[in-house]
Amino acid sequence: MTLHFPDIFEQFCCTGSLCEDNCCKIGWDIEIDKDTYSFYKSLDSELGRRLINSIYEEEGCLYMSQPRGCPFMNEQGLCSVQLAHGEEHISDICREHPRFYEWFNDYKEAGVGLCCEEVCRLICAHPKPILFSEKETDEEPDDLEFDPELLKGVKKIRDRIIDILQDRGFSLTERLGIILCAEEDIQQAVLDEDPHRLTQLSGMLAIDGFRIEIVNECRDGIYMEQHKAYRAMLDVLGRMEYIHPQLKELFETDDKQLEEILSKERLFDREYKDLSYELEHIAVYFIYRYLIKAVRDGAVTERLYMAVFCTLAVRLLFLKEYSEKNSLPETPRREWLIKEFSKEIEYSADNMDIIYEEIQEGCVTYSMLQGMLSGE
């Protein structure tokens, strides 16, 4: 099998007991794969009985209940099951998190999620554009259905979008604007299952002059007023469910506060310029991880708009703290904000559904997203 992955994928290593926001403490109920469950049932020990008594079944899936964090994490923050029986006998999700994968027969994609503090540390310490590599692995192909030609087309247009996002000859907001302008044509090509058209679009978007033309058109466009656009974003974020109140409180901003925040935008952009690769990496992450799924469901608009929405939401968190303190948040704080946004919103199926539904129902629109980009 061919494995495709970003350069930070192989750099990642779980910090275990050193992690300050250990995923085993969050309280997520963890899915237990059937092979791991069978092994736990075979254990004739107190640990085995405790494991089985902690697992319940719901809609055909097995889960370990841990409302106050994993009951099998010891005082040092290490997994007692792994210590006793080895890494091969913990569940798939415990072994792989925060890694993620997407399968297409003998082709597989991998990455690491932003919900992990170590991943956020890696991207904030990575000033160069993200690079992608491939290698052969000893793994059996899957049998999930997909259109191989459409996969080639979507991969090609996704690579072009990532290339645009990493084109530092344009500001980040200009790059996001180019992506938004290309969305309608890309969506139609995918719905038409037309890989040839996707190749054509990729070629057009590779031309510097064409990118400049789009940027100029975006600059002259008429969009939702910036304050109103950000107010709409904050209203969406305010309807979400949060594990902890910190992030929700950061998004609770009245109109007067928002006006003050946006008045500092130009100063923020000037001071943050040399660090803006962080937001670039976030945009690339969302495009890389989610756009490929359109091969199976055709949902391009939702994925592209979501990527821009989430990138701008993190930027707003940075901008708000800059406005309040008249200085950029320190690196550990920026890492924390990225991680919390991913953990609370991206890793919540219900919260992501809210974003997708707002896009589908025409509440999060092209005009709104361009309006948030228009302040630079």
Side-chain angles (χ1 to χ4, degrees):
M1 178 175 284
T2 299
L3 179 67
H4 183 83
F5 55 93
D7 49 14
I8 66 169
F9 178 76
E10 293 191 318
Q11 297 173 27
F12 171 77
C13 181
C14 177
T15 58
S17 60
L18 299 177
C19 182
E20 295 183 6
D21 190 18
N22 195 308
C23 54
C24 301
K25 297 180 181 178
I26 291 174
W28 290 329
D29 282 5
I30 299 299
E31 186 172 352
I32 304 296
D33 55 280
K34 292 181 180 179
D35 289 344
T36 301
Y37 182 69
S38 296
F39 174 76
Y40 292 165
K41 286 184 68 176
S42 73
L43 294 175
D44 185 17
S45 64
E46 176 62 24
L47 178 60
R49 287 184 284 275
R50 285 180 59 215
L51 284 163
I52 292 302
N53 290 336
S54 299
I55 295 172
Y56 67 93
E57 183 174 348
E58 184 176 289
E59 297 181 355
C61 294
L62 298 167
Y63 297 92
M64 180 180 290
S65 177
Q66 44 181 12
R68 291 177 294 278
C70 179
F72 300 98
M73 186 172 63
N74 66 19
E75 293 180 357
Q76 290 73 43
L78 300 173
C79 176
S80 56
V81 180
Q82 181 172 332
L83 290 171
H85 298 286
E87 184 180 342
E88 66 272 21
H89 290 305
I90 60 175
S91 65
D92 289 345
I93 193 168
C94 290
R95 183 169 52 253
E96 295 292 344
H97 183 79
R99 302 170 187 88
F100 60 84
Y101 302 95
E102 200 76 38
W103 288 266
F104 296 93
N105 192 256
D106 61 353
Y107 173 76
K108 178 180 176 180
E109 294 198 341
V112 281
L114 295 179
C115 65
C116 169
E117 66 179 44
E118 175 62 9
V119 175
C120 293
R121 187 194 68 78
L122 286 172
I123 69 163
C124 287
H126 193 298
K128 295 182 179 180
I130 299 291
L131 299 178
F132 294 85
S133 303
E134 291 187 350
K135 66 180 181 181
E136 299 302 310
T137 64
D138 184 17
E139 185 176 348
E140 291 295 320
D142 72 70
D143 57 359
L144 300 174
E145 292 186 5
F146 69 98
D147 181 338
E149 291 304 311
L150 186 59
L151 172 64
K152 292 178 183 177
V154 171
K155 281 176 58 184
K156 186 167 291 187
I157 197 67
R158 185 191 61 179
D159 290 347
R160 182 63 61 217
I161 290 172
I162 290 174
D163 175 59
I164 291 169
L165 289 172
Q166 297 186 141
D167 183 352
R168 297 178 182 180
F170 297 95
S171 70
L172 179 68
T173 53
E174 287 172 339
R175 289 174 254 169
L176 294 173
I178 294 171
I179 303 309
L180 291 175
C181 285
E183 167 273 321
E184 186 175 358
D185 287 334
I186 298 170
Q187 175 65 87
Q188 192 57 55
V190 171
L191 289 178
D192 292 341
E193 299 181 353
D194 188 349
H196 177 67
R197 177 58 178 157
L198 290 171
T199 299
Q200 287 182 322
L201 291 169
S202 176
M204 293 168 62
L205 289 167
I207 302 169
D208 285 343
F210 189 65
R211 295 180 185 182
I212 293 170
E213 183 178 334
I214 294 175
V215 168
N216 289 334
E217 288 180 2
C218 290
R219 192 173 290 132
D220 295 335
I222 299 174
Y223 312 114
M224 185 182 294
E225 189 269 325
Q226 190 191 30
H227 185 284
K228 184 179 178 181
Y230 272 105
R231 179 80 269 154
M233 167 188 272
L234 290 168
D235 289 345
V236 173
L237 293 165
R239 291 198 294 276
M240 295 183 175
E241 296 291 331
Y242 295 84
I243 303 170
H244 303 296
Q246 295 99 317
L247 192 70
K248 181 179 182 181
E249 290 169 359
L250 289 174
F251 283 126
E252 290 175 346
T253 303
D254 62 30
D255 286 343
K256 184 177 180 181
Q257 289 175 306
L258 182 57
E259 184 177 344
E260 176 65 20
I261 291 167
L262 295 179
S263 73
K264 301 288 184 66
E265 185 177 25
R266 290 183 183 276
L267 290 173
F268 167 80
D269 285 333
R270 190 178 305 137
E271 292 194 36
Y272 185 66
K273 183 178 180 181
D274 291 341
L275 296 170
S276 63
Y277 64 82
E278 297 171 343
L279 292 172
E280 172 191 302
H281 293 340
I282 292 169
V284 168
Y285 164 82
F286 279 106
I287 291 295
Y288 172 71
R289 181 169 188 173
Y290 292 99
L291 187 58
I292 200 70
K293 297 176 186 292
V295 173
R296 290 196 168 97
D297 64 17
V300 169
T301 302
E302 290 91 332
R303 303 268 167 52
L304 290 181
Y305 280 17
M306 176 275 294
V308 175
F309 181 97
C310 290
T311 303
L312 292 177
V314 174
R315 179 177 180 267
L316 180 60
L317 290 171
F318 292 175
L319 176 56
K320 181 179 182 183
E321 297 218 350
Y322 175 83
S323 172
E324 292 171 349
K325 300 175 182 179
N326 287 314
S327 63
L328 295 175
E330 298 291 332
T331 300
R333 178 63 174 176
R334 297 196 307 276
E335 294 169 0
W336 184 88
L337 291 168
I338 297 167
K339 183 260 300 179
E340 284 298 298
F341 181 87
S342 175
K343 185 176 75 173
E344 293 276 13
I345 294 176
E346 182 203 353
Y347 273 72
S348 165
D350 290 341
N351 286 342
M352 289 295 278
D353 283 345
I354 289 173
I355 296 176
Y356 289 135
E357 287 166 7
E358 293 288 323
I359 295 168
Q360 292 163 357
E361 294 173 6
C363 300
V364 173
T365 64
Y366 174 84
S367 177
M368 170 190 162
L369 295 171
Q370 288 283 18
M372 285 189 281
L373 297 174
S374 65
E376 187 179 79

